Amino acid sequence: MSPAQWDLPPELCCRPVAFVALTGLDVVYNAIHRAIWDAFCANRRADRVPISFKVLPGDNEYPKCRTKRTSYEWYIPKGILKTGWMNKHLNLVPALVVLFYELDWDDPQWKEKQSECATKVEIVRTSLQGRNTKVAVVLIQKKTPLPPGEDLVASERASALCGACDLSGKSLFVLPHTDHLVGYIIRLENAFYEHAQTYYYNEIRRVKSHKEFLNKTTHQLLFVRHQFKMGFFSELKQDTQNALKYYRTAYSLVHELRAHETNMLEIKTMAGFINYKICRLCFQHNTPLDAIAQFRKHIDLCKKKIGSAELAFEHTAWMSKQFQSFGDLFDEAIKLGLTAIQTQNPGFYYQQAAYYAQERKQQVGQLCSHEPGVGYPAPDPLETTSGALDFYGQRPWRQGHQSIDPPDSEKEKQGILALQVKERDIPHSELIIALLSNAVAQFKKYKCPRMKSHLMVQMGEEYYHAKDYTKALKLLDYVMCDYRTERWWSLLTSILCTALKCSYLMGQVKDYITYSMELVGRASILPEEQKSRIEKNLIKVLMNEVPEPEPDCDPLSVKTAQSLWSDRISLAGSNEFTIEVQDYVPFVQCKAKFLSPSFHIDEPVQLHVYVRADCPHPVLYSKQCTTLFSVDVFELQEYNQYCLLEDASKGKDILEPSTQENMCLVPGKTRKYCFKFVAKTEDVGKKIEITSVGLMLGRETARYVYLNWRGGWGDAASSHETLQACRSFKKRTRFPEQQVDWDTVTIQSSLRIISRVPKISVQLTHEPPALTNEMYCMIVTIQSGEDTVAKDIKLTAGLKPGQDANLTQSTQITLNGTEVCDDSHPALLPDIPLGDLHPGQKIVKPLYIHCVSTGSRILLFHVAYSVSATVEGKDITCKCHKDETVTLETVVPFEVAMKFVSSQFEHLERVYVDIPFLLMMDILSASPWPIELVNSEVQLASSMNAIDQPQSQVEGVTLQTSECASECFLLKCPPVQNGTSTVASGHYIISWKRKSTFAETSVVRTIVTLPHVMVENIPLYVHAELPSFGRVRESLPVRYHLENRTGLVQDVEITVEPSDAFMFSGLKQVRMRILPGAEQEMLYNFYPLMAGYQVLPQLNINLLRFPNISNQLLRRFLPSRIFVKPQGRNGDTSIEAA
Amino acid sequence: MQTAIMIVANYPLYIRSVPTQGELKFHYTVHTSLDVVEEKISGVGKALADQRELYLGLLYPTEDYKVYGYMTNSKVKFVIVVDSSNTSLRDNEIRSMFRKLHNSFTDVMCNPFYNPGDPIQSKAFDSIVSTMMVQAF
C-alpha cells in the first residue's frame, strides 16, 4: 500500500461539473471543427456555465447500464460505494451527447444528408443503450441564418430533420460558422447546460425512487449509497444547497450502520468522504463555522472507532488524514477570501494531523516489529483480480463481504500481516515533518511565535528520529534561543538534551561542548547524576578522548558516532573553540570589575575578576585545567599582559600567588582574582573598558575551549538574575573570609584614567567689580605644596572659552598694566611660562583685564605643570593642572549728564547766535570704589566758541560712590547761515583712574560726545542792565539795550506794564526806529514798594517788521524778577544784620 | 484525568500538574497558550484598558485539553489546563478557581520575604492549589 492509500480520491476532491460529450467533430484534420472545439475549451472562466466537455467518437462505448432491478427483496448489497462510481459520472457517462453535423438549409443533397444525420443519431442512441442521456444535434452551417420565421425553407426542413432523427425541436441547434463563433458557442453552452440539468434532475428522481423498495434490515448500506448519489448528482446539477442536505442525511445514516471490526474501515472511509463533501460545501457557502462544527462532530464520532487493534495505525493514519484534509480545505477557503483568527486557523488542524501521524508512527513501532524471519506473505493477500478494490474501504482479501466475522481467519491473518509489513516501509517521519512544517507556516501567519517554536522543536525531534541530525540540530538551535530568553528552563533542557544527542551522533565537537556546558550549568533542570555524567563526558572531550554515548540513542548510530569521534580525536588541529558566552548559559559565571570608576594616574588600577562554577564536580578541575584570564582593554593591548593568570605564573604584576589550587573552581564558591597595573601617562583622560574576559578550559596540548565574556560579565540569563538579586534582600548573610556573595558583586566594566591631583594652590586677588575701560588688575598667586619641584609651570588666563562671542571681542588681557589695551590684545593668554617652582615657593603674577562692555564674564586661570612621581616602583612624570574660575562683573564707572542753560541757568532748547550760554556737565559716580578725576577738557567743534579759556573745574576731585561732580563752560555760537540749524558741539574728555591702595592704576581717558544743539538767529537782541538787588523805596535804575541784528531798519514798539510792586519813571509807551546794527538804550528808574522777590514791570516789545518774533521770546533775555531788600532803619549795617 | 495549574510571568513561577510524567507536554501547552494571551491583551488594550476583565476565558482549543487563562494587573498569567473530557467544570467554576488562585497569589506577593519574579515556594499556596485540584478534578 502506498502512502497515498489514505489520500482522498481526486474525483471526490474536485468540484463536480456536468459532463457533456461532443461527437462528430474531427478536431485533428478539420480546421472549422478545431475552432469550434477550441471555443468550447478555451477561457472557461467562472462566468461560463460549469460543464466539462469531451470529444468522443460517435460510436463511443459508454459504461454499460445494468438491467433495472424490479425488486430489491433478495438483493444484499456488497458495499457502500463502488470505487468507480464517481469517476463514471464525472468522466464517462455524459448528461448530454451532442452530434455535430455539417448541413446548410439549402444543401443540394438535402435528402441524403438528412438520412445520414439520422443514422448518426441512431448510432449514438444505441451506444447509450439504457441510459437517460439526452441527445442533441448541432448543424454546422456556412451561412448566417435569417431571422426566425423568415426562412420558410429552413423551418420546414428543420421540422423534417427533427422528425427523421426523432428529436424534439429543442434539441436541434444551428451553429453558423461566421465571425461571432464564441458568442454562438456560449449560447449553445447555456442550452446544453439546461439539458444537463434536466438529466441530473431525472437521475436524482430515479435514485430517490429506489427508496420505497428498500428495507432497513438488509439495505442499510443502500440508504447511505443513495443519499450520497443524490448529493453527488445535485452537485453535478450545481444545486449545492440540496447536495449539502443529501450529504448530511448520508452522514447521519453512515453512523447508523452496524459497525464491527470487519467493516469499520469501510464505514470510516465513507464517513470521511461525506464529511469532506459537507465541509467543502460549507466553506463554499461561506459558513465556516458550520464546517468546523461538522468536522468536530465527525472527529468526536470517529475518534473511538479504532477497529482492529492489530491495525490501530490505520485508524491514526485515517485520523491524521482527516485533519490534514480539513486543514487543506480551510486553507483553500482562506485563499479565496475567508479570514481566520489566531485561535481558529488551519495550523491547528495540521498540528493535530501531525500529532496523529506521530501516534501512528508509535503504533507502527509496537505493532509491526515482527521477527526478522517473518516476511511478506505469499500469495499476496492484497492482490485483487482487477488490481483495484470494488468498494471504498474494503479489504482486498474479502471484498464484498459484509458479515461480522471474517470468512477465512487464516486469510485474515495473512492480510493483516501484509498490511503491517507494508506499513513498516512508510516514511513516517517525512509525513510528520511535512505536516508540522505546514502547521508552522500557518502559525507564523497568525502570530503564534511560541506555537511555531513548539512545532519546530517537534520537527527537530522528528528529524532526530529520522536520523537527519544536521537538520534536527539546525531547527533546535534556531528555537533554543527563544526558550532561553523566555527563561523556560524545563523546555530548554529538554531541547538541549536532544541537541546534545544529535551533536554526539554527528561528532560535532563544538556543538557537543556548547550543549554540555549549558546542560551542566544552572539553566538546566537535569538531576545531579545526569549533570555529572555530562560533565565527565565534557572533560573527556577536553582531554581529547572519546565521550561516552548519550543514553537512548539508536545503537547503530552510536557505532558510527564512535568511529567518527575517534577520527576526530586522531585528527590534528581544530582543537580550539571560542564560545561567546552571552548567547548561552554555561556552567561558569564571571564578573569583572574595576574597583573604582576612575583612577588617578599616580595610583595602580585594580581589577577584580570573580569566577564561579555551577557544575556538580569540583574534582575534575584540579589538574587538567589551565585557567587563563585575559582582559582586552580598549584596544590598548599593552595592558593585557598585566591581566593574565596562568598556572605557570610569569608576570610579577600579579599580586595573588597562582598555584594549582587557584586554578580549580569549586562549585558554588566564588573565586576572586585581583590584578593591578599602572596606566600610561598618555592615557590620562581616556576611558578604559573591559572588552572581554576569557576563560580557557582544557589544555593547549589537548583540546581547549575559550569562554569569552564580552564586556567582562554576563551570559543569556544573568541580566534577569542580577535584577532579581538587587530586588531581593534575602541572602544578606555574612560570608566567611575570602568568600564573596556572588549576587552582591556589582559590575564596573569601565574606568577613566584621570590626572594626578595637583598639590598647588592658585589664589586670585582683585577688587571686583571691574569698571568699563579700566585696566582691571588681578593678581594670581601660585603656591606649591608639592614634595618635588613642579616643572614647567604654565599659566593660561583669560576669558573662559565657550561664552558669548561678543565677550571675546570686548575683553582683552595683558601682562602690561601701564598702557590701555586695544583690540590687538587677545581675550585669552595661553601658556604663559612661569618656570619651575620649588616646594613651598610661590609665584605672584599680576594680570590686567580690559573690559570694554559691561556685564558678567567668566575668567579662567589654568595652571599646568609636570611633576615626577613613583608608583609601584615605577617612575612616571605626571602632568597636573589646576583650574580656577572667577565670575567678573563689569560696571560703568560714572555717568555724565550734559545740558545747555542760559546765562540765567534756565534750560535751553535752542541757543541763539552770538548770545552766550552755558554748557553744564554732571559726573555721577556709579563705581563702588572711589574714582579720582585726573582732568577734564572740552574739545569744541568749529561751530562753538568758548568765551573764556575753558579750564577744568573738577581736576583732582575724588568721587565716592554716588557722589556727583559738576562743571560748566561759557560758550557762544557764531552766526549760522540760514535762520536755524543743528550743530555738533564737540567732545568732553574725562581722564580718571580708580583710587586704589591695592595696585597702581593707569589713567583712563573717557570721551563723551556732547549733544547736538539747535542754533537760531534772532533779529533783535534785548538785554537789561540792572543791579543785583533793589531796596524798598530806593531808586533802582534799569537800562534796557535793544540791538538790531538785521540789515534792516526796524520799527519797535515798547510798552511797560505797570506793577503793584514798583513805581517807575521813564517812557511808558514808545515807538521808535532802530538802524541796522545800531543799539538803542532805554533807561528806567524803578522804585520798589515791597520787599522780597518781586516781578519787574513787564517790558513788551513789539517788532512790527517781524510779527513772528513774539514778545515772549524776547522777554526771555530779560530778567523777570528781582530781589528787593527791605528798607534799613539805621543804614546798611542793620540791613546786613537783618 | 490530566490537569495542570501554572503561574507564569512569561517564565514559569509555579507549576503543578497531575500526573507528573507528562509535565513537559503541559509546559509546552502553557507556553504556546501565551501567544493567545498576548494577542488577547493587545486587543483589549486598545479598547478599555482599565475595565479589563482579568479572566481571559478559554484560550485555545486542542483535542485533548482545554486551556484557560487569567491575567493579573501586574501581568502575571495564570493558566489552568484541564482534560477535554472533564465536563463537570463550567466557565463559572474555572472563574472562581482563578479568583481563589489570585487571592492566594496576592498573599504570596504580600509576603515581605518573597521577591517578585522568583519561583513561588509557599506552603500555603501549595496547599490551596492541592485542595483546588482535589476538589475540582
Side-chain angles (χ1 to χ4, degrees), chain A residues 775-776 778 796-799 811-816 821-822 824-830 832 847-851 859-861:
Chain A
M775 295 301 288
Y776 184 68
M778 292 185 97
T796 300
L799 195 68
T811 311
Q812 287 107 33
I813 185 161
T814 177
L815 294 169
N816 179 10
C821 288
D822 53 21
S824 63
H825 286 82
L828 181 73
L829 272 182
I832 308 160
L847 289 163
Y848 296 92
I849 294 140
H850 182 225
C851 303
L859 300 176
L860 169 76
F861 296 88

Short mmCIF file of all heavy atoms in Angstrom, two decimals, chain A residues 775-776 778 796-799 811-816 821-822 824-830 832 847-851 859-861:
data_model
loop_
_atom_site.label_atom_id
_atom_site.label_comp_id
_atom_site.label_asym_id
_atom_site.label_seq_id
_atom_site.Cartn_x
_atom_site.Cartn_y
_atom_site.Cartn_z
N MET A 775 41.93 99.29 33.19
CA MET A 775 42.83 98.14 33.18
C MET A 775 42.67 97.50 34.55
O MET A 775 43.27 97.92 35.54
CB MET A 775 44.27 98.58 32.95
CG MET A 775 44.49 99.21 31.58
SD MET A 775 44.06 98.09 30.25
CE MET A 775 45.40 96.94 30.37
N TYR A 776 41.84 96.46 34.58
CA TYR A 776 41.50 95.84 35.85
C TYR A 776 42.60 94.88 36.26
O TYR A 776 42.98 93.98 35.50
CB TYR A 776 40.17 95.10 35.70
CG TYR A 776 39.65 94.49 36.96
CD1 TYR A 776 39.20 95.30 38.00
CD2 TYR A 776 39.57 93.11 37.11
CE1 TYR A 776 38.71 94.74 39.16
CE2 TYR A 776 39.07 92.56 38.26
CZ TYR A 776 38.65 93.37 39.28
OH TYR A 776 38.16 92.82 40.43
N MET A 778 44.30 91.87 38.27
CA MET A 778 44.07 90.65 39.04
C MET A 778 45.43 90.05 39.33
O MET A 778 46.26 89.90 38.44
CB MET A 778 43.25 89.64 38.23
CG MET A 778 41.84 90.10 38.00
SD MET A 778 40.88 88.86 37.18
CE MET A 778 40.06 88.12 38.56
N THR A 796 47.56 79.71 31.96
CA THR A 796 46.67 80.15 30.89
C THR A 796 45.60 80.98 31.56
O THR A 796 44.94 80.49 32.48
CB THR A 796 46.06 78.95 30.16
OG1 THR A 796 47.13 78.19 29.63
CG2 THR A 796 45.13 79.37 29.06
N ALA A 797 45.46 82.22 31.14
CA ALA A 797 44.49 83.07 31.82
C ALA A 797 43.69 83.85 30.80
O ALA A 797 44.18 84.17 29.72
CB ALA A 797 45.23 84.04 32.74
N GLY A 798 42.50 84.15 31.16
CA GLY A 798 41.66 84.96 30.28
C GLY A 798 40.22 84.53 30.33
O GLY A 798 39.79 83.83 31.25
N LEU A 799 39.53 84.93 29.30
CA LEU A 799 38.11 84.64 29.21
C LEU A 799 37.94 83.14 28.99
O LEU A 799 38.58 82.56 28.12
CB LEU A 799 37.55 85.41 28.02
CG LEU A 799 36.05 85.52 27.95
CD1 LEU A 799 35.55 86.40 29.08
CD2 LEU A 799 35.66 86.12 26.61
N THR A 811 36.74 91.90 25.46
CA THR A 811 37.61 91.62 26.60
C THR A 811 39.04 91.47 26.10
O THR A 811 39.27 90.80 25.08
CB THR A 811 37.19 90.30 27.28
OG1 THR A 811 35.79 90.34 27.49
CG2 THR A 811 37.90 90.10 28.59
N GLN A 812 39.96 92.08 26.75
CA GLN A 812 41.36 91.90 26.40
C GLN A 812 42.15 91.67 27.68
O GLN A 812 41.79 92.17 28.74
CB GLN A 812 41.93 93.13 25.67
CG GLN A 812 41.43 93.27 24.24
CD GLN A 812 40.43 94.39 24.09
OE1 GLN A 812 40.53 95.40 24.78
NE2 GLN A 812 39.46 94.21 23.22
N ILE A 813 43.19 90.88 27.54
CA ILE A 813 44.00 90.60 28.72
C ILE A 813 45.47 90.82 28.37
O ILE A 813 45.91 90.56 27.25
CB ILE A 813 43.74 89.17 29.25
CG1 ILE A 813 44.50 88.94 30.54
CG2 ILE A 813 44.06 88.12 28.22
CD1 ILE A 813 43.96 87.79 31.34
N THR A 814 46.21 91.36 29.30
CA THR A 814 47.63 91.64 29.05
C THR A 814 48.40 91.55 30.36
O THR A 814 47.82 91.56 31.45
CB THR A 814 47.78 93.04 28.41
OG1 THR A 814 49.15 93.29 28.25
CG2 THR A 814 47.19 94.12 29.28
N LEU A 815 49.68 91.42 30.20
CA LEU A 815 50.53 91.40 31.39
C LEU A 815 51.01 92.80 31.75
O LEU A 815 51.50 93.05 32.84
CB LEU A 815 51.75 90.51 31.13
CG LEU A 815 51.45 89.02 30.93
CD1 LEU A 815 52.68 88.30 30.43
CD2 LEU A 815 50.98 88.42 32.24
N ASN A 816 50.88 93.72 30.79
CA ASN A 816 51.39 95.06 30.97
C ASN A 816 50.24 95.99 31.35
O ASN A 816 49.34 96.22 30.55
CB ASN A 816 52.05 95.51 29.66
CG ASN A 816 52.58 96.91 29.76
OD1 ASN A 816 52.63 97.49 30.85
ND2 ASN A 816 52.98 97.46 28.65
N CYS A 821 44.76 98.68 26.82
CA CYS A 821 44.74 97.70 25.73
C CYS A 821 43.97 98.22 24.53
O CYS A 821 43.08 99.06 24.66
CB CYS A 821 44.03 96.43 26.18
SG CYS A 821 44.98 95.51 27.34
N ASP A 822 44.29 97.69 23.39
CA ASP A 822 43.42 97.90 22.24
C ASP A 822 42.98 96.54 21.71
O ASP A 822 43.21 95.51 22.35
CB ASP A 822 44.15 98.72 21.17
CG ASP A 822 45.47 98.10 20.81
OD1 ASP A 822 45.62 96.89 21.07
OD2 ASP A 822 46.35 98.82 20.32
N SER A 824 44.04 94.63 19.56
CA SER A 824 45.02 93.64 19.15
C SER A 824 45.34 92.65 20.26
O SER A 824 45.93 91.61 20.02
CB SER A 824 46.31 94.33 18.71
OG SER A 824 46.85 95.02 19.82
N HIS A 825 44.93 92.96 21.47
CA HIS A 825 45.22 92.03 22.55
C HIS A 825 44.19 90.91 22.59
O HIS A 825 43.02 91.13 22.29
CB HIS A 825 45.23 92.78 23.88
CG HIS A 825 46.46 93.61 24.06
ND1 HIS A 825 46.58 94.87 23.50
CD2 HIS A 825 47.62 93.37 24.71
CE1 HIS A 825 47.76 95.36 23.81
NE2 HIS A 825 48.42 94.47 24.54
N PRO A 826 44.63 89.69 22.95
CA PRO A 826 43.69 88.55 22.94
C PRO A 826 42.82 88.53 24.20
O PRO A 826 43.12 89.20 25.19
CB PRO A 826 44.63 87.34 22.91
CG PRO A 826 45.84 87.82 23.64
CD PRO A 826 45.98 89.28 23.36
N ALA A 827 41.75 87.72 24.11
CA ALA A 827 40.88 87.54 25.26
C ALA A 827 41.41 86.46 26.19
O ALA A 827 41.02 86.37 27.34
CB ALA A 827 39.48 87.17 24.80
N LEU A 828 42.29 85.60 25.65
CA LEU A 828 42.83 84.51 26.47
C LEU A 828 44.33 84.44 26.20
O LEU A 828 44.75 84.32 25.05
CB LEU A 828 42.17 83.18 26.09
CG LEU A 828 42.61 81.96 26.86
CD1 LEU A 828 42.04 81.98 28.27
CD2 LEU A 828 42.17 80.70 26.16
N LEU A 829 45.07 84.53 27.26
CA LEU A 829 46.54 84.44 27.10
C LEU A 829 46.94 83.01 27.40
O LEU A 829 46.84 82.54 28.53
CB LEU A 829 47.23 85.36 28.10
CG LEU A 829 47.49 86.81 27.69
CD1 LEU A 829 48.23 87.50 28.82
CD2 LEU A 829 48.31 86.88 26.41
N PRO A 830 47.35 82.22 26.39
CA PRO A 830 47.66 80.83 26.68
C PRO A 830 49.13 80.63 27.07
O PRO A 830 50.02 81.35 26.59
CB PRO A 830 47.35 80.13 25.36
CG PRO A 830 47.51 81.19 24.33
CD PRO A 830 47.43 82.54 24.97
N ILE A 832 51.42 80.96 29.56
CA ILE A 832 52.43 81.94 29.98
C ILE A 832 53.46 81.16 30.79
O ILE A 832 53.13 80.56 31.81
CB ILE A 832 51.81 83.03 30.86
CG1 ILE A 832 50.59 83.63 30.17
CG2 ILE A 832 52.84 84.08 31.24
CD1 ILE A 832 49.65 84.34 31.11
N LEU A 847 47.93 90.44 36.40
CA LEU A 847 47.37 90.40 35.04
C LEU A 847 46.38 91.54 34.93
O LEU A 847 45.75 91.93 35.91
CB LEU A 847 46.64 89.07 34.80
CG LEU A 847 47.50 87.84 34.68
CD1 LEU A 847 46.64 86.61 34.87
CD2 LEU A 847 48.16 87.80 33.32
N TYR A 848 46.27 92.08 33.74
CA TYR A 848 45.36 93.22 33.56
C TYR A 848 44.30 92.84 32.54
O TYR A 848 44.60 92.30 31.48
CB TYR A 848 46.14 94.44 33.11
CG TYR A 848 47.11 94.89 34.17
CD1 TYR A 848 48.42 94.42 34.18
CD2 TYR A 848 46.69 95.74 35.20
CE1 TYR A 848 49.29 94.79 35.17
CE2 TYR A 848 47.57 96.11 36.19
CZ TYR A 848 48.87 95.64 36.19
OH TYR A 848 49.72 95.99 37.18
N ILE A 849 43.09 93.16 32.92
CA ILE A 849 41.97 92.81 32.04
C ILE A 849 41.25 94.08 31.67
O ILE A 849 40.98 94.93 32.52
CB ILE A 849 41.01 91.83 32.75
CG1 ILE A 849 41.75 90.51 32.98
CG2 ILE A 849 39.77 91.55 31.92
CD1 ILE A 849 41.45 89.91 34.28
N HIS A 850 41.01 94.20 30.40
CA HIS A 850 40.36 95.39 29.88
C HIS A 850 38.99 94.98 29.38
O HIS A 850 38.86 94.21 28.43
CB HIS A 850 41.22 95.95 28.73
CG HIS A 850 40.67 97.20 28.13
ND1 HIS A 850 40.60 97.38 26.79
CD2 HIS A 850 40.20 98.32 28.69
CE1 HIS A 850 40.08 98.59 26.54
NE2 HIS A 850 39.84 99.17 27.69
N CYS A 851 37.96 95.46 30.06
CA CYS A 851 36.61 95.10 29.67
C CYS A 851 35.95 96.30 29.02
O CYS A 851 35.79 97.34 29.65
CB CYS A 851 35.78 94.68 30.87
SG CYS A 851 36.52 93.32 31.75
N LEU A 859 36.12 84.18 33.97
CA LEU A 859 37.54 84.17 33.65
C LEU A 859 38.13 82.86 34.15
O LEU A 859 37.73 82.32 35.19
CB LEU A 859 38.25 85.35 34.31
CG LEU A 859 37.72 86.72 33.89
CD1 LEU A 859 38.43 87.81 34.67
CD2 LEU A 859 37.91 86.94 32.40
N LEU A 860 39.05 82.36 33.38
CA LEU A 860 39.65 81.07 33.70
C LEU A 860 41.14 81.27 33.97
O LEU A 860 41.84 81.98 33.24
CB LEU A 860 39.46 80.12 32.51
CG LEU A 860 40.23 78.81 32.56
CD1 LEU A 860 39.57 77.85 33.52
CD2 LEU A 860 40.30 78.18 31.18
N PHE A 861 41.60 80.63 35.03
CA PHE A 861 43.04 80.63 35.32
C PHE A 861 43.46 79.18 35.46
O PHE A 861 43.00 78.48 36.36
CB PHE A 861 43.32 81.42 36.61
CG PHE A 861 42.96 82.86 36.45
CD1 PHE A 861 41.68 83.32 36.72
CD2 PHE A 861 43.90 83.77 36.00
CE1 PHE A 861 41.33 84.64 36.54
CE2 PHE A 861 43.55 85.10 35.81
CZ PHE A 861 42.28 85.54 36.08
#
